[in-house]
Amino acid sequence: MRRILVTGAGGQLGLTFQEIADDFPEITFDFKTSEELDVANASQVLATFQNGEYDYCINCAAYTNVEQAENYPEKAFEINADGARNIANACKENKVTLVQISTDYVFDGEKGTAYKVGDDTNPINVYGRSKLEGEKLIREILPNHYIIRTSWLYSKKHGHNFYLTILRKAQAEEELHITNAQRGCPTNTENLVKFILLQMVLGNKPFGIYHFTDGKPMTWYDFAKQILEENGLSEKAKLVLDANYRTLAKRPKNSVLS
């Protein structure tokens, strides 16, 4: 029986872990929301690990608001970098294997083809820089780790994400202005969760960095069209291509992960 701590359990990825936990009776889960465990609080993290007797920690705790990270970089780094360091230190002291969720935004988007694990990183926004710093700290501190870079993560049931936002606005008959200036791979949280549990926790993959997506590159506009088609809303929705859609944070033009 493997015992796993899942941090950030109130987010869309953490809620997906909770949803399918019963499908893995060989695993005992301990779910901690960000309110129950503040990863930026080193002493609180250490106490949780000392009391938990965990085999694995899956760190879903993250500051993921890419836009707001530009205005509050200290908060982004506090959770995504300092939090990762605190988790890694606690894992090392208690002989726990860490699974860290990272992002396609560690790349600058200038590559013409899909990014491989060994490609040079060069984030162009605060969120990407904070997640990359978390990666570096984990690699420095803890040998037994998995870092999984994923992209355009969405749940069809939980959280605030592109999929649910498009669905809500389309049902309300709001006009949807969506850009085609960025290209990536949308990834369903259920698929990522199953990959982690089957390959990292129950499997025997070597430690290191991995890329995981659902594997189909597209633009945000393409993704919006797919969402509308899946839900029978293509005729009802008002979808407008907006190539000049402005955001506060710079976004990589191509963040397709191989």
Side-chain angles (χ1 to χ4, degrees), residues 5 30 32 37 43-54:
L5 169 65
D30 186 8
K32 299 287 188 186
L37 175 60
S43 59
Q44 188 181 17
V45 169
L46 194 57
T48 299
F49 274 77
Q50 289 170 340
N51 295 328
E53 297 183 350
Y54 304 115

Side-chain angles (χ1 to χ4, degrees), residues 22-77:
D22 290 343
D23 295 338
F24 292 86
E26 62 271 68
I27 299 173
T28 299
F29 292 91
D30 186 8
F31 295 104
K32 299 287 188 186
T33 66
S34 296
E35 290 74 28
E36 294 168 328
L37 175 60
D38 177 8
V39 297
N41 186 324
S43 59
Q44 188 181 17
V45 169
L46 194 57
T48 299
F49 274 77
Q50 289 170 340
N51 295 328
E53 297 183 350
Y54 304 115
D55 300 299
Y56 290 80
C57 171
I58 302 173
N59 185 24
C60 300
Y63 189 98
T64 58
N65 191 321
V66 178
E67 290 291 279
Q68 286 301 312
E70 297 297 313
N71 292 321
Y72 304 101
E74 298 87 358
K75 188 65 176 178
F77 273 86

Side-chain angles (χ1 to χ4, degrees), residues 116-254:
K116 299 178 181 179
V117 167
D119 285 341
D120 291 339
T121 53
N122 184 34
I124 58 174
N125 56 43
V126 170
Y127 169 69
R129 290 195 291 272
S130 68
K131 292 296 287 184
L132 181 60
E133 182 64 20
E135 286 190 15
K136 291 177 178 177
L137 289 166
I138 289 168
R139 294 201 305 270
E140 290 171 4
I141 294 166
L142 185 67
N144 54 323
H145 68 260
Y146 298 100
I147 294 171
I148 304 176
R149 295 175 183 150
T150 190
S151 63
W152 298 20
L153 200 60
Y154 70 94
S155 165
K156 294 184 178 181
K157 300 176 183 178
H158 309 296
H160 302 284
N161 60 61
F162 186 82
Y163 189 99
L164 294 178
T165 298
I166 292 295
L167 206 56
R168 172 176 53 80
K169 290 188 174 184
Q171 290 168 338
E173 300 188 15
E174 295 182 33
E175 197 168 78
L176 301 166
H177 289 257
I178 311 297
T179 183
N180 68 348
Q182 298 146 34
R183 188 171 178 82
C185 296
T187 305
N188 191 308
T189 53
E190 286 190 18
N191 295 331
L192 177 57
V193 165
K194 289 174 183 176
F195 172 74
I196 292 170
L197 295 179
L198 291 172
Q199 299 295 326
M200 277 68 189
V201 176
L202 299 177
N204 56 359
K205 275 193 172 295
F207 296 131
I209 299 176
Y210 292 86
H211 288 176
F212 180 85
T213 72
D214 284 350
K216 185 179 179 182
M218 61 183 74
T219 67
W220 288 114
Y221 183 81
D222 295 331
F223 189 29
K225 284 179 65 177
Q226 178 178 299
I227 294 166
L228 297 175
E229 289 167 5
E230 281 182 6
N231 293 277
L233 293 168
S234 296
E235 298 299 321
K236 182 179 180 180
K238 305 167 185 175
L239 182 59
V240 179
L241 176 60
D242 190 348
N244 296 315
Y245 188 77
R246 295 182 180 277
T247 59
L248 181 62
K250 291 181 180 180
R251 311 285 175 126
K253 292 180 293 184
N254 168 46

Side-chain angles (χ1 to χ4, degrees), residues 4-5 7 49 55-59 87 91 96-99:
I4 297 177
L5 169 65
T7 63
F49 274 77
D55 300 299
Y56 290 80
C57 171
I58 302 173
N59 185 24
I87 293 285
C91 283
V96 176
T97 295
L98 173 60
V99 180

